Amino acid sequence: MTMRGYLRADGRKGIRNQVIVAYLVECAHHVAREIALLDREKAHVIGFPGCFPNPYAQKMMERLCTHPNVGAVLLVSLGCESFNRVQLERVVADSGRPVETLVIQKTGGTKSAIERGRAFVADAVKTLDNTPRAPMDLSDLVIGTVCGGSDGTSGISGNPATGRAFDQLVAAGATCIFEETGELIGCEDIMASRAATPELAIELRASVEKAARYYAELGYGSFASGNADGGLSTIEEKSMGAYAKSGASPISGLIKPGDIPPKGGLYLMDVVPDGPVQFGFPNISDNAEIVEMMASGAHMTIFVTGRGSVVGSAISPVIKVAANPDMYERLHEDMDINAGRIIDGTADLETVGTEIMDLVGQVAAGEPTKSEQLGHQEFILTYKSFEPIGPACLPA
């Protein structure tokens, strides 16, 4: 595989070179969106809608605006929100990226802000053409995986095929991240048996137990009516399918959203907030999990779906793996991989796993995914609260 990444000041390499237009409160969302329309391919909109400050959201925005796929950042503020825009701008500037803060209340209003913002984007796009490139291989990559719209086929085709790809990627030195603890209930013991250390095994079990307590207090869990309509019977059955996408490699560590894995290997991301239920359901859509993967450095995300999904993401490409052969026929223009062939007997897990692995390399080398070609740039970020991980969570 021939890959050349965009070299960043911290030594990481990006597979894309985007200009981020980041709104810092929902009141600035429209202006940010209009600014980004100047260049729909290069300018991506992200943002935090809340007016009340939140350490999790601050960390997430700092990580996202300094993601290796990001080359320049425009911050769009209304002016009176509580988000710490000064700190965010400082973090981006310290990373060596061009950055500017646009305060709508100081620019004359919507039209003036859009005009000024588009001038920044136009200049930034020209500047990004001169970004240094460097040789890149699989060991430089961080790859996340999520599953959404799961059905009875997800756990026997798309998820285990992704697990085969993860095993190949980990063996090649890549960093792979799987989630989510609320959909691993019932798998804690077999997952803990793969932990690199006894101390990590304790942390893995505790993360799933925390998720079970959280959902019990919330009054419902991560099992939707669509899952049942698709043939799944219980959260434990859904969990076994979700677990399969982690593959069989040793688990190197446990991270929380925004934590950067220190080296290659397989990591579990704990997405369930710490403490009492404060902000409702942990991930109100699949895109929320993709955002958390990106905040931990994921260059791309492998998205396994049985019922079907058409979403992509701002910042990082999404590879969609169709688990259900019938769904693939209905939504083929949005699917990158047809793992449904495992169901109808025309391919096996190893074959599809290798196809996913090969596509990861091709996307890293610049080939657009289906969601990129279609212009999908979904993004969502809400309130959460986390405690820092302990030393037992990371590899020695």
Side-chain angles (χ1 to χ4, degrees):
M1 297 179 183
T2 301
M3 297 184 285
R4 292 186 63 80
Y6 297 95
L7 184 61
R8 307 304 179 191
D10 61 4
R12 293 189 294 173
K13 301 164 189 172
I15 64 171
R16 299 293 186 268
N17 205 18
Q18 313 290 6
V19 178
I20 292 304
V21 182
Y23 60 91
L24 305 183
V25 66
E26 184 61 27
C27 310
H29 192 165
H30 173 73
V31 169
R33 183 172 54 244
E34 290 295 314
I35 290 169
L37 288 177
L38 176 73
D39 191 327
R40 297 189 182 192
E41 181 179 348
K42 281 289 187 181
H44 287 205
V45 177
I46 69 171
F48 179 62
C51 193
F52 187 80
N54 178 252
Y56 160 80
Q58 184 78 31
K59 178 179 180 179
M60 293 287 285
M61 289 292 283
E62 290 174 8
R63 290 285 193 263
L64 291 164
C65 288
T66 57
H67 188 282
N69 288 352
V70 173
V73 178
L74 175 66
L75 305 178
V76 184
S77 162
L78 176 61
C80 55
E81 72 277 355
S82 298
F83 195 96
N84 193 336
R85 63 178 185 263
V86 174
Q87 177 180 323
L88 180 56
E89 180 176 351
R90 184 184 306 116
V91 168
V92 178
D94 289 346
S95 76
R97 292 165 171 82
V99 59
E100 183 177 310
T101 299
L102 178 63
V103 181
I104 297 170
Q105 291 174 347
K106 297 180 180 179
T107 61
T110 296
K111 290 182 179 180
S112 298
I114 291 170
E115 182 178 351
R116 180 173 161 185
R118 287 185 172 181
F120 174 88
V121 170
D123 288 343
V125 169
K126 293 177 182 178
T127 300
L128 295 187
D129 290 338
N130 298 317
T131 305
R133 304 291 291 271
M136 185 175 185
D137 60 31
L138 292 174
S139 64
D140 292 309
L141 291 177
V142 181
I143 302 104
T145 185
V146 303
C147 51
S150 299
D151 69 4
T153 69
S154 298
I156 55 179
S157 60
N159 283 334
T162 298
R164 297 298 200 278
F166 258 32
D167 289 340
Q168 295 181 56
L169 288 161
V170 169
T175 301
C176 294
I177 307 171
F178 73 104
E179 48 69 58
E180 124 191 41
T181 48
E183 293 182 357
L184 292 172
I185 294 170
C187 300
E188 50 268 51
D189 289 335
I190 55 174
M191 184 169 61
S193 70
R194 294 167 55 196
T197 65
E199 294 79 13
L200 176 60
I202 294 172
E203 296 289 347
L204 294 175
R205 284 195 184 93
S207 69
V208 178
E209 291 166 358
K210 178 187 73 171
R213 291 193 302 271
Y214 187 98
Y215 285 120
E217 184 175 347
L218 193 63
Y220 57 94
S222 186
F223 190 86
S225 59
N227 299 140
D229 291 342
L232 292 172
S233 60
T234 61
I235 184 58
E236 288 79 9
E237 184 181 12
K238 182 180 181 182
S239 293
M240 287 299 294
Y243 172 77
K245 67 182 184 292
S246 69
S249 303
I251 299 174
S252 299
L254 180 147
I255 61 174
K256 296 179 182 180
D259 294 332
I260 308 295
K263 63 180 183 179
L266 179 65
Y267 295 80
L268 170 65
M269 176 175 283
D270 178 3
V271 302
V272 176
D274 294 315
V277 176
Q278 300 180 75
F279 306 116
F281 197 74
N283 287 88
I284 61 176
S285 75
D286 297 319
N287 288 95
E289 294 171 353
I290 293 173
V291 168
E292 290 176 331
M293 294 281 183
M294 292 190 303
S296 290
H299 291 90
M300 67 186 80
T301 303
I302 302 170
F303 186 155
V304 182
T305 181
R307 302 277 292 180
S309 175
V310 301
V311 302
S313 181
I315 299 179
S316 296
V318 172
I319 294 173
K320 289 208 286 299
V321 177
N324 188 315
D326 295 334
M327 181 274 289
Y328 178 82
E329 293 302 321
R330 295 193 303 272
L331 292 178
H332 62 274
E333 62 191 35
D334 287 270
M335 299 293 124
D336 297 283
I337 297 285
N338 180 13
R341 291 177 295 137
I342 298 166
I343 304 292
D344 62 27
T346 58
D348 58 21
L349 286 172
E350 299 298 336
T351 299
V352 177
T354 299
E355 289 177 1
I356 297 171
M357 165 81 168
D358 290 343
L359 185 55
V360 165
Q362 293 161 17
V363 171
E367 180 176 322
T369 64
K370 290 287 186 69
S371 62
E372 285 184 287
Q373 293 174 21
L374 293 165
H376 282 283
Q377 295 181 16
E378 284 80 3
F379 184 91
I380 185 168
L381 177 61
T382 56
Y383 288 98
K384 280 190 179 183
S385 178
F386 287 99
E387 298 296 329
I389 57 174
C393 295
L394 295 178

Short mmCIF file of all heavy atoms in Angstrom, two decimals, residues 356-390:
data_model
loop_
_atom_site.label_atom_id
_atom_site.label_comp_id
_atom_site.label_asym_id
_atom_site.label_seq_id
_atom_site.Cartn_x
_atom_site.Cartn_y
_atom_site.Cartn_z
N ILE A 356 -12.25 -5.67 3.82
CA ILE A 356 -12.33 -4.49 4.70
C ILE A 356 -10.93 -3.94 4.96
O ILE A 356 -10.69 -2.73 4.88
CB ILE A 356 -13.05 -4.84 6.01
CG1 ILE A 356 -14.50 -5.26 5.74
CG2 ILE A 356 -13.00 -3.66 6.98
CD1 ILE A 356 -15.21 -5.84 6.96
N MET A 357 -10.00 -4.84 5.26
CA MET A 357 -8.62 -4.44 5.50
C MET A 357 -8.05 -3.70 4.29
O MET A 357 -7.42 -2.64 4.40
CB MET A 357 -7.79 -5.69 5.79
CG MET A 357 -6.29 -5.52 5.71
SD MET A 357 -5.61 -4.79 7.18
CE MET A 357 -3.86 -5.08 6.88
N ASP A 358 -8.26 -4.24 3.10
CA ASP A 358 -7.75 -3.61 1.88
C ASP A 358 -8.37 -2.24 1.66
O ASP A 358 -7.69 -1.29 1.25
CB ASP A 358 -8.02 -4.50 0.67
CG ASP A 358 -7.18 -5.77 0.67
OD1 ASP A 358 -6.17 -5.82 1.41
OD2 ASP A 358 -7.54 -6.71 -0.07
N LEU A 359 -9.68 -2.13 1.94
CA LEU A 359 -10.35 -0.84 1.74
C LEU A 359 -9.84 0.20 2.73
O LEU A 359 -9.72 1.38 2.39
CB LEU A 359 -11.87 -1.01 1.87
CG LEU A 359 -12.70 0.24 1.58
CD1 LEU A 359 -12.38 0.81 0.20
CD2 LEU A 359 -14.20 -0.06 1.70
N VAL A 360 -9.51 -0.22 3.95
CA VAL A 360 -8.90 0.71 4.92
C VAL A 360 -7.65 1.33 4.31
O VAL A 360 -7.44 2.56 4.38
CB VAL A 360 -8.58 -0.02 6.24
CG1 VAL A 360 -7.62 0.81 7.10
CG2 VAL A 360 -9.85 -0.32 7.01
N GLY A 361 -6.80 0.51 3.71
CA GLY A 361 -5.59 1.03 3.08
C GLY A 361 -5.87 1.96 1.92
O GLY A 361 -5.21 2.99 1.76
N GLN A 362 -6.88 1.61 1.12
CA GLN A 362 -7.22 2.44 -0.03
C GLN A 362 -7.79 3.79 0.40
O GLN A 362 -7.46 4.84 -0.19
CB GLN A 362 -8.23 1.69 -0.91
CG GLN A 362 -7.66 0.45 -1.59
CD GLN A 362 -8.73 -0.51 -2.06
OE1 GLN A 362 -9.90 -0.14 -2.17
NE2 GLN A 362 -8.35 -1.75 -2.33
N VAL A 363 -8.63 3.79 1.43
CA VAL A 363 -9.19 5.04 1.95
C VAL A 363 -8.09 5.90 2.55
O VAL A 363 -8.04 7.12 2.37
CB VAL A 363 -10.30 4.75 2.97
CG1 VAL A 363 -10.74 6.03 3.69
CG2 VAL A 363 -11.51 4.10 2.28
N ALA A 364 -7.16 5.26 3.26
CA ALA A 364 -6.03 6.00 3.82
C ALA A 364 -5.16 6.61 2.73
O ALA A 364 -4.56 7.67 2.93
CB ALA A 364 -5.19 5.09 4.71
N ALA A 365 -5.12 5.95 1.58
CA ALA A 365 -4.33 6.46 0.46
C ALA A 365 -5.06 7.53 -0.34
O ALA A 365 -4.50 8.09 -1.28
CB ALA A 365 -3.93 5.31 -0.46
N GLY A 366 -6.33 7.82 0.03
CA GLY A 366 -7.05 8.91 -0.62
C GLY A 366 -8.34 8.55 -1.31
O GLY A 366 -9.09 9.43 -1.74
N GLU A 367 -8.64 7.24 -1.45
CA GLU A 367 -9.89 6.86 -2.12
C GLU A 367 -11.08 7.24 -1.26
O GLU A 367 -11.13 6.89 -0.08
CB GLU A 367 -9.90 5.36 -2.40
CG GLU A 367 -11.16 4.88 -3.11
CD GLU A 367 -11.12 3.40 -3.46
OE1 GLU A 367 -10.03 2.92 -3.84
OE2 GLU A 367 -12.17 2.74 -3.36
N PRO A 368 -12.06 7.96 -1.80
CA PRO A 368 -13.22 8.36 -0.97
C PRO A 368 -14.17 7.20 -0.71
O PRO A 368 -14.33 6.31 -1.54
CB PRO A 368 -13.90 9.43 -1.83
CG PRO A 368 -13.53 9.07 -3.24
CD PRO A 368 -12.14 8.49 -3.17
N THR A 369 -14.77 7.20 0.46
CA THR A 369 -15.80 6.23 0.77
C THR A 369 -17.12 6.67 0.13
O THR A 369 -17.23 7.79 -0.38
CB THR A 369 -16.00 6.09 2.29
OG1 THR A 369 -16.49 7.34 2.81
CG2 THR A 369 -14.69 5.73 2.98
N LYS A 370 -18.11 5.80 0.17
CA LYS A 370 -19.41 6.14 -0.41
C LYS A 370 -20.00 7.38 0.28
O LYS A 370 -20.54 8.27 -0.38
CB LYS A 370 -20.37 4.96 -0.28
CG LYS A 370 -20.04 3.76 -1.15
CD LYS A 370 -20.35 4.03 -2.62
CE LYS A 370 -20.16 2.77 -3.47
NZ LYS A 370 -21.17 1.73 -3.20
N SER A 371 -19.89 7.43 1.60
CA SER A 371 -20.48 8.58 2.31
C SER A 371 -19.75 9.88 1.96
O SER A 371 -20.37 10.94 1.88
CB SER A 371 -20.46 8.35 3.82
OG SER A 371 -19.14 8.23 4.31
N GLU A 372 -18.44 9.80 1.72
CA GLU A 372 -17.71 11.00 1.29
C GLU A 372 -18.17 11.43 -0.09
O GLU A 372 -18.36 12.63 -0.34
CB GLU A 372 -16.21 10.71 1.26
CG GLU A 372 -15.53 10.65 2.62
CD GLU A 372 -14.04 10.46 2.50
OE1 GLU A 372 -13.59 9.35 2.16
OE2 GLU A 372 -13.31 11.45 2.73
N GLN A 373 -18.31 10.50 -1.00
CA GLN A 373 -18.74 10.83 -2.35
C GLN A 373 -20.12 11.48 -2.35
O GLN A 373 -20.40 12.37 -3.15
CB GLN A 373 -18.78 9.56 -3.21
CG GLN A 373 -17.43 8.93 -3.48
CD GLN A 373 -17.56 7.61 -4.20
OE1 GLN A 373 -18.57 7.32 -4.84
NE2 GLN A 373 -16.54 6.77 -4.10
N LEU A 374 -20.97 11.05 -1.41
CA LEU A 374 -22.33 11.58 -1.34
C LEU A 374 -22.43 12.87 -0.53
O LEU A 374 -23.50 13.48 -0.45
CB LEU A 374 -23.26 10.52 -0.73
CG LEU A 374 -23.48 9.27 -1.60
CD1 LEU A 374 -24.10 8.14 -0.78
CD2 LEU A 374 -24.36 9.60 -2.80
N GLY A 375 -21.32 13.29 0.06
CA GLY A 375 -21.30 14.56 0.79
C GLY A 375 -21.78 14.50 2.22
O GLY A 375 -22.04 15.55 2.84
N HIS A 376 -21.87 13.30 2.80
CA HIS A 376 -22.31 13.19 4.20
C HIS A 376 -21.25 13.77 5.13
O HIS A 376 -20.08 13.42 5.05
CB HIS A 376 -22.57 11.73 4.56
CG HIS A 376 -23.86 11.20 4.05
ND1 HIS A 376 -25.06 11.50 4.64
CD2 HIS A 376 -24.15 10.41 2.99
CE1 HIS A 376 -26.04 10.90 3.98
NE2 HIS A 376 -25.51 10.24 2.97
N GLN A 377 -21.70 14.64 6.06
CA GLN A 377 -20.80 15.23 7.06
C GLN A 377 -21.53 15.36 8.40
O GLN A 377 -21.44 16.38 9.08
CB GLN A 377 -20.30 16.59 6.59
CG GLN A 377 -19.43 16.56 5.36
CD GLN A 377 -18.94 17.93 4.95
OE1 GLN A 377 -18.99 18.89 5.72
NE2 GLN A 377 -18.46 18.05 3.72
N GLU A 378 -22.26 14.30 8.79
CA GLU A 378 -23.01 14.38 10.04
C GLU A 378 -22.08 14.59 11.24
O GLU A 378 -20.93 14.14 11.25
CB GLU A 378 -23.83 13.09 10.24
CG GLU A 378 -25.06 12.99 9.38
CD GLU A 378 -24.79 12.54 7.95
OE1 GLU A 378 -23.62 12.24 7.62
OE2 GLU A 378 -25.75 12.49 7.16
N PHE A 379 -22.62 15.26 12.26
CA PHE A 379 -21.85 15.54 13.46
C PHE A 379 -22.81 15.84 14.60
O PHE A 379 -23.81 16.53 14.42
CB PHE A 379 -20.92 16.74 13.26
CG PHE A 379 -20.02 17.02 14.43
CD1 PHE A 379 -18.76 16.44 14.50
CD2 PHE A 379 -20.44 17.82 15.49
CE1 PHE A 379 -17.94 16.68 15.58
CE2 PHE A 379 -19.63 18.05 16.58
CZ PHE A 379 -18.37 17.47 16.63
N ILE A 380 -22.49 15.29 15.80
CA ILE A 380 -23.29 15.62 16.97
C ILE A 380 -22.40 15.52 18.21
O ILE A 380 -21.58 14.61 18.34
CB ILE A 380 -24.53 14.69 17.11
CG1 ILE A 380 -25.40 15.13 18.27
CG2 ILE A 380 -24.12 13.23 17.23
CD1 ILE A 380 -26.77 14.46 18.29
N LEU A 381 -22.55 16.48 19.11
CA LEU A 381 -21.79 16.50 20.35
C LEU A 381 -22.70 17.05 21.44
O LEU A 381 -23.27 18.14 21.29
CB LEU A 381 -20.54 17.37 20.21
CG LEU A 381 -19.66 17.56 21.44
CD1 LEU A 381 -19.11 16.22 21.92
CD2 LEU A 381 -18.52 18.52 21.15
N THR A 382 -22.84 16.29 22.53
CA THR A 382 -23.72 16.71 23.62
C THR A 382 -22.96 16.66 24.95
O THR A 382 -21.76 16.43 24.99
CB THR A 382 -24.97 15.82 23.70
OG1 THR A 382 -24.56 14.45 23.84
CG2 THR A 382 -25.81 15.96 22.44
N TYR A 383 -23.68 16.86 26.03
CA TYR A 383 -23.08 16.89 27.36
C TYR A 383 -22.78 15.48 27.87
O TYR A 383 -23.57 14.56 27.70
CB TYR A 383 -24.02 17.57 28.35
CG TYR A 383 -24.15 19.06 28.18
CD1 TYR A 383 -25.22 19.62 27.48
CD2 TYR A 383 -23.21 19.92 28.73
CE1 TYR A 383 -25.35 20.99 27.33
CE2 TYR A 383 -23.33 21.30 28.60
CZ TYR A 383 -24.40 21.82 27.90
OH TYR A 383 -24.52 23.18 27.75
N LYS A 384 -21.63 15.34 28.54
CA LYS A 384 -21.28 14.13 29.29
C LYS A 384 -20.33 14.52 30.41
O LYS A 384 -19.87 15.67 30.50
CB LYS A 384 -20.59 13.10 28.38
CG LYS A 384 -21.53 12.26 27.52
CD LYS A 384 -20.76 11.12 26.85
CE LYS A 384 -21.67 10.26 26.02
NZ LYS A 384 -20.94 9.11 25.42
N SER A 385 -19.98 13.52 31.24
CA SER A 385 -19.04 13.76 32.31
C SER A 385 -18.22 12.49 32.55
O SER A 385 -18.79 11.41 32.69
CB SER A 385 -19.79 14.14 33.61
OG SER A 385 -18.88 14.33 34.67
N PHE A 386 -16.89 12.62 32.56
CA PHE A 386 -16.00 11.47 32.75
C PHE A 386 -14.92 11.79 33.78
O PHE A 386 -14.46 12.93 33.90
CB PHE A 386 -15.30 11.10 31.43
CG PHE A 386 -16.20 10.44 30.43
CD1 PHE A 386 -16.76 11.17 29.39
CD2 PHE A 386 -16.48 9.08 30.51
CE1 PHE A 386 -17.58 10.56 28.46
CE2 PHE A 386 -17.31 8.47 29.59
CZ PHE A 386 -17.87 9.21 28.56
N GLU A 387 -14.51 10.75 34.49
CA GLU A 387 -13.33 10.80 35.34
C GLU A 387 -12.14 10.31 34.52
O GLU A 387 -12.30 9.48 33.63
CB GLU A 387 -13.51 9.93 36.59
CG GLU A 387 -14.64 10.36 37.50
CD GLU A 387 -14.41 11.73 38.10
OE1 GLU A 387 -13.24 12.08 38.33
OE2 GLU A 387 -15.41 12.44 38.34
N PRO A 388 -10.92 10.76 34.83
CA PRO A 388 -9.74 10.29 34.09
C PRO A 388 -9.54 8.79 34.28
O PRO A 388 -9.86 8.23 35.33
CB PRO A 388 -8.59 11.09 34.72
CG PRO A 388 -9.24 12.26 35.37
CD PRO A 388 -10.58 11.81 35.83
N ILE A 389 -8.99 8.14 33.27
CA ILE A 389 -8.66 6.72 33.39
C ILE A 389 -7.45 6.56 34.31
O ILE A 389 -6.64 7.48 34.46
CB ILE A 389 -8.37 6.07 32.02
CG1 ILE A 389 -7.24 6.81 31.30
CG2 ILE A 389 -9.63 6.03 31.17
CD1 ILE A 389 -6.79 6.14 30.01
N GLY A 390 -7.32 5.37 34.91
CA GLY A 390 -6.19 5.09 35.78
C GLY A 390 -5.07 4.38 35.03
O GLY A 390 -5.24 3.96 33.88
#
